Amino acid sequence: MTLSEIDTRFGTANDPDFSHGNCLPVTALPFAMNHFVPQTNGNRGSWWFHPDDRMLEGFRLTHQPSPWVGDFATFIVQPISGNDEPKSIYQARTSYRQQTAVFQPDYLRLESERYHLTTQLVPSIYGAALKITYQQDHPGLLLHLPRRQSFEQIDNQTIVVSLTHNRASHDQHLTMYLALTVTSPIREVKQDDPENVRLYFEAASQEQLLTLATSFISKEQALLNLARESSQSFEDKQADATATWLDKLNRIQIEDEKMEQVAVFKHCLYRAFLFPTRFYELDDKSQPIHYQMVTQTVEKGVYYTNNGFWDTAKTGYPLFSLIAQDDLSEMLEGFLNHYREVGYLPKWLSPDELGMMPGTLIDTVIADACVKGIRLDLMPEFLTAMIKSATLENPDTRYGRQGVTAYQALGYVPNDYPESVNATLDYAYSDFCIAQVAKCLGEESTFEVYQMRAQNYRNCFDVQTGLMRGRNRAGQFAPDFSPLAWGGAYTEGSVYQNGCSVVHDVAGLVKLYPNRSAFIAHLDILHQTPPNFEVGSYGTQIHEMSEMVALNFAQVAISNQPSFHVPYLYHFVGQPYKAQVVLKQLMMKAFHPTPQAFPGDEDNGSMASWFLFNSLGFYPFCSGSGEYTLGIPLFDKATLYLSNGQELIITANKTAEQYQFVDEVELNGQVSTSLVLKHDDIMQGKDIAFKLSLVPIIKEVAADDLPTSLTQK
């Protein structure tokens, strides 16, 4: 693979009313503290980049994980030259040549037509280097420093700026320290207002190297980070950035002639390695330290942020467990440090706890690592932390499970809490995950308690409608029910998208129906009902509704996380061929190697990882089970270089679009009838060969070959 094959602008054509990914064209190292993106129009709020814009306002250092979350600790640098003296980023904007622009994970290159200069950028963990080639006199830089606290010139080549946090958080004065050095002496500094500073250099026409680094610790730490950044040439930095990315991206190699789908795969693999982002630094003894926003102190150890576990837990972290265990190991330690310092495990960090979305789905990340033997040394403390969230309700709803007191008393979250059905189903899944960790640790009594609590999803099931519904504290189901109504008891969808979120016990879910045929009929309705909706409690059409309609895959809104697993439900009733055709068409029709890349919000690698897994032919249906469910591969051959040094080789004989069914699967040359792959078997290295067919080969699937339902064991 070469990094020129990845155009980071895929998925960036978005606005508040419709998402094609809601991605930014990020140039950064994997999991780095800072991301770098050209800003094209700051008047659009969080949607400040669009690939169709012709103007450039500058190069933005950003920490924005999603436009719905917003940015923090950001600044913009715009190289300028000539006799104009712009006083703001709006005045400094310039057209840039889109046809020659380079947007890669490791490298940015843009040509300014107004200022007759070329800027190249390569990222590092804590900063970046910009090589600016000026072609006219009066070279300089405009620095846009929102909510700047101070500006200090250290010498004639180096400045340090402190920037306050610009979004609500525990620490309203969170400060990012920016240290910046240039190769030519600064001859003049002009400050027209507190947030905009212009620097002009002594030389007339020249090549300028700007090196920057940031810190959330102190000015001194920023200068230390800068000193480490300044020890290399631009070319060496670029070589290191390229090598770092290739090390990650070459862990899965694809051989296939479907070039559009291969391009999507490579872009998704890049997206999977962007989040979460590092929030720790190395002190003068190269030991990890981080700023803790709640205590407002500097603490020892690693730390990660910019991640919502409701989005990423079920796809992104299982991917890391296969090909990036070292990174996952450190992330787990960082998440545990959050518990040690704050008292609760994180749910949605950016940079501190936002408390968005229902559930505490970090529990699935922990259980998945535990059953796979990753960081078992942390699991006793993790179990204590998980149980605290499951039993102790915090008045600050950002932390732990909202409504958990009522959940423990009633066996469900009543509908006087928002999104009560989703909360109940997510809590039941988390209880399953607690049981899994307890089982690994030999805590039998805890295992039994939480295995029983994992059945609480049943308390939302309405026998009359065959659907999961909200209930009040007296046990009554909400009146005036419509299965097409969004919101209320459900998250970003209706009961059709959210009502089957029982991945830990599908066998038990099936038993709630009169018979297996009735459950199949429910799945058929879900997959056949047109993508109609009622705005429900939202009161207006939100972007997820628009995306489901545009996707036009019935009520299977793969555009959002609650539907990610839905096609695979057919596996549990012995009809995998129904899932195979849906999955194949979704992979072929819903993802594109263009700025309209994704069918909805990509969300920090979650949808990208969904595509990666499904195109490989297996999927982590129940994170925390140690199992994957077989699907249908998209490519002729894929080789996974696993974290333990083994190789998983997946081949398929017919992968053209019309071959939408799996006829036969061979594992290491032996025909297998199982629909399940175990993680331990994968990590030993296997050859998996799929034989695809034009029409479904309908076979009776033996009970032993169905995906397991662990709470039923």
Side-chain angles (χ1 to χ4, degrees):
M1 178 187 294
T2 61
L3 292 177
S4 61
E5 298 175 75
I6 297 175
D7 188 327
T8 61
R9 287 171 289 189
F10 289 4
T12 62
N14 306 287
D15 60 52
D17 293 327
F18 200 92
S19 173
H20 288 111
N22 262 329
C23 303
L24 290 170
V26 171
T27 294
L29 292 189
F31 312 125
M33 176 176 281
N34 301 310
H35 291 173
F36 296 90
V37 176
Q39 176 168 307
T40 59
N41 189 343
N43 290 328
R44 289 204 194 96
S46 293
W47 286 264
W48 41 262
F49 175 86
H50 196 284
D52 293 338
D53 288 343
R54 295 288 179 176
M55 303 294 275
L56 171 68
E57 295 180 346
F59 295 83
R60 179 167 175 155
L61 183 153
T62 174
H63 300 101
Q64 179 169 296
S66 161
W68 306 110
V69 175
D71 211 344
F72 68 92
T74 180
F75 89 101
I76 299 169
V77 55
Q78 173 73 295
I80 58 176
S81 67
N83 295 323
D84 291 344
E85 293 197 348
K87 298 179 180 180
S88 68
I89 56 171
Y90 181 81
Q91 289 183 4
R93 61 189 185 146
T94 170
S95 56
Y96 74 97
R97 296 181 183 176
Q98 290 187 338
Q99 63 271 26
T100 62
V102 177
F103 285 77
Q104 293 180 190
D106 64 328
Y107 177 70
L108 270 174
R109 183 182 182 277
L110 276 71
E111 297 179 49
S112 165
E113 297 187 297
R114 173 181 176 182
Y115 299 116
H116 304 287
L117 57 85
T118 300
T119 303
Q120 303 173 73
L121 182 150
V122 295
S124 61
I125 293 293
Y126 298 110
L130 288 78
K131 180 189 283 189
I132 308 160
T133 305
Y134 294 95
Q135 298 176 19
Q136 63 183 11
D137 293 339
H138 206 42
L141 302 169
L142 173 69
L143 305 181
H144 178 62
L145 308 168
R147 295 182 65 179
R148 172 174 63 83
Q149 287 182 314
S150 66
F151 178 94
E152 179 181 0
Q153 187 166 346
I154 305 298
D155 55 40
N156 65 355
Q157 292 177 279
T158 307
I159 63 171
V160 175
V161 183
S162 60
L163 298 159
T164 55
H165 177 51
N166 55 351
R167 187 160 49 77
S169 65
H170 279 287
D171 185 358
Q172 292 295 300
H173 302 287
L174 172 68
T175 299
M176 182 181 76
Y177 301 89
L178 166 67
L180 182 153
T181 186
V182 291
T183 50
S184 296
I186 301 169
R187 69 171 177 83
E188 187 177 18
V189 177
K190 292 189 176 183
Q191 298 176 248
D192 299 296
D193 63 65
E195 295 189 348
N196 294 284
V197 177
R198 279 174 287 131
L199 311 177
Y200 293 99
F201 309 119
E202 287 186 357
S205 298
Q206 63 181 44
E207 182 176 271
Q208 187 72 236
L209 180 64
L210 181 159
T211 305
L212 64 91
T214 67
S215 171
F216 289 99
I217 304 294
S218 66
K219 178 183 78 172
E220 292 74 21
Q221 182 68 42
L223 287 168
L224 176 60
N225 293 344
L226 178 63
R228 290 165 173 161
E229 301 285 349
S230 301
S231 62
Q232 287 183 301
S233 68
F234 183 87
E235 289 72 23
D236 287 342
K237 289 176 182 291
Q238 184 175 2
D240 283 353
T242 301
T244 299
W245 268 112
L246 289 178
D247 173 64
K248 297 291 193 215
L249 299 176
N250 284 332
R251 297 182 186 188
I252 305 179
Q253 295 190 2
I254 301 298
E255 299 176 34
D256 196 277
E257 294 182 355
K258 293 186 290 296
M259 301 314 296
E260 286 198 2
Q261 282 70 42
V262 172
V264 170
F265 186 94
K266 292 177 179 179
H267 183 80
C268 286
L269 195 53
Y270 143 77
R271 288 288 309 175
F273 285 118
L274 289 177
F275 298 96
T277 58
R278 188 179 304 203
F279 202 67
Y280 73 87
E281 303 166 51
L282 301 178
D283 64 14
D284 57 359
K285 297 181 176 61
S286 295
Q287 296 301 305
I289 55 175
H290 62 272
Y291 182 71
Q292 173 48 251
M293 294 185 62
V294 175
T295 61
Q296 299 180 23
T297 56
V298 178
E299 303 290 342
K300 295 180 179 179
V302 300
Y303 204 84
Y304 282 82
T305 189
N306 273 343
N307 200 239
F309 294 97
W310 189 84
D311 300 299
T312 60
K314 299 175 185 178
T315 56
Y317 290 95
L319 180 69
F320 299 157
S321 75
L322 291 172
I323 61 173
Q325 284 192 12
D326 287 348
D327 294 301
L328 176 58
S329 176
E330 185 174 274
M331 292 170 190
L332 289 166
E333 189 173 340
F335 302 147
L336 188 57
N337 281 335
H338 182 278
Y339 166 73
R340 290 165 175 165
E341 295 157 10
V342 177
Y344 281 85
L345 290 168
K347 297 194 295 187
W348 226 119
L349 292 174
S350 182
D352 56 347
E353 182 63 79
L354 300 180
M356 301 187 306
M357 312 309 292
T360 51
L361 291 184
I362 189 175
D363 297 330
T364 76
V365 177
I366 297 166
D368 199 57
C370 185
V371 299
K372 293 172 179 176
I374 302 169
R375 292 310 300 264
L376 295 180
D377 59 311
L378 304 179
M379 292 303 155
E381 195 170 359
F382 266 133
L383 181 60
T384 299
M386 296 164 79
I387 290 174
K388 180 176 181 179
S389 292
T391 56
L392 184 61
E393 188 164 359
N394 194 317
D396 186 338
T397 57
R398 286 177 292 184
Y399 296 101
R401 302 187 189 181
Q402 185 179 3
V404 73
T405 303
Y407 173 76
Q408 292 180 96
L410 301 172
Y412 60 91
V413 178
N415 58 13
D416 49 315
Y417 287 94
E419 302 171 337
S420 60
V421 168
N422 278 74
T424 300
L425 302 188
D426 284 349
Y427 293 175
Y429 182 21
S430 279
D431 289 339
F432 159 79
C433 292
I434 294 173
Q436 289 291 90
V437 176
K439 185 177 181 180
C440 288
L441 298 177
E443 299 284 347
E444 188 63 29
S445 60
T446 302
F447 167 73
E448 292 176 356
V449 168
Y450 284 92
Q451 185 186 34
M452 183 67 68
R453 281 180 45 154
Q455 301 295 303
N456 280 342
Y457 69 87
R458 298 166 181 256
N459 297 322
C460 286
F461 189 76
D462 175 17
V463 176
Q464 297 301 315
T465 61
L467 300 170
M468 296 288 180
R469 295 182 54 193
R471 303 174 69 179
N472 62 21
R473 291 177 183 265
Q476 299 166 323
F477 289 108
D480 303 322
F481 174 72
S482 168
L484 295 176
W486 281 44
Y490 311 104
T491 304
E492 297 176 357
S494 71
V495 68
Y496 281 142
Q497 291 76 50
N498 295 284
C500 289
S501 295
V502 189
V503 296
H504 64 288
D505 188 20
V506 181
L509 176 64
V510 174
K511 289 180 180 178
L512 296 177
Y513 289 80
N515 49 52
R516 191 176 76 161
S517 296
F519 182 72
I520 293 173
H522 170 62
L523 293 184
D524 289 345
I525 290 171
L526 196 157
H527 285 80
Q528 296 284 10
T529 300
N532 301 326
F533 62 88
E534 299 167 9
V535 298
S537 66
Y538 288 103
T540 188
Q541 183 167 336
I542 63 174
H543 76 95
E544 288 91 350
M545 300 171 187
S546 303
E547 291 144 18
M548 182 184 72
V549 172
L551 184 63
N552 200 21
F553 268 74
Q555 294 290 325
V556 184
I558 209 70
S559 47
N560 206 9
Q561 284 77 14
S563 286
F564 275 8
H565 71 289
V566 166
Y568 284 97
L569 290 167
Y570 279 116
H571 285 56
F572 291 80
V573 289
Q575 296 185 349
Y577 53 90
K578 290 184 178 179
Q580 290 157 8
V581 66
V582 174
L583 293 167
K584 183 69 174 279
Q585 288 300 305
L586 282 168
M587 289 186 285
M588 296 293 295
K589 302 296 187 183
F591 296 82
H592 313 282
T594 68
Q596 295 79 28
F598 296 100
D601 283 356
E602 197 282 306
D603 286 329
N604 306 148
S606 64
M607 188 177 290
S609 297
W610 184 93
F611 182 87
L612 294 173
F613 270 116
N614 281 283
S615 65
L616 293 170
F618 64 103
Y619 184 72
F621 180 88
C622 178
S623 179
S625 68
E627 295 180 346
Y628 305 85
T629 304
L630 285 174
I632 180 168
L634 188 58
F635 302 115
D636 296 340
K637 183 178 181 180
T639 302
L640 281 72
Y641 297 93
L642 305 171
S643 291
N644 62 357
Q646 298 293 328
E647 295 180 11
L648 174 66
I649 299 175
I650 303 169
T651 58
N653 67 329
K654 300 172 184 176
T655 59
E657 182 178 355
Q658 63 268 29
Y659 294 94
Q660 302 180 79
F661 304 97
V662 176
D663 183 5
E664 187 175 87
V665 179
E666 291 184 356
L667 300 182
N668 292 338
Q670 301 295 316
V671 174
S672 173
T673 56
S674 177
L675 297 175
V676 175
L677 285 174
K678 293 187 179 297
H679 179 80
D680 290 344
D681 291 339
I682 287 177
M683 297 306 290
Q684 293 175 19
K686 279 187 177 293
D687 291 337
I688 307 176
F690 288 83
K691 294 182 179 179
L692 307 187
S693 60
L694 192 63
V695 296
I697 308 299
I698 301 176
K699 305 174 183 177
E700 184 67 27
V701 181
D704 290 343
D705 293 329
L706 294 173
T708 58
S709 183
L710 295 181
T711 58
Q712 290 295 305
K713 287 185 175 179

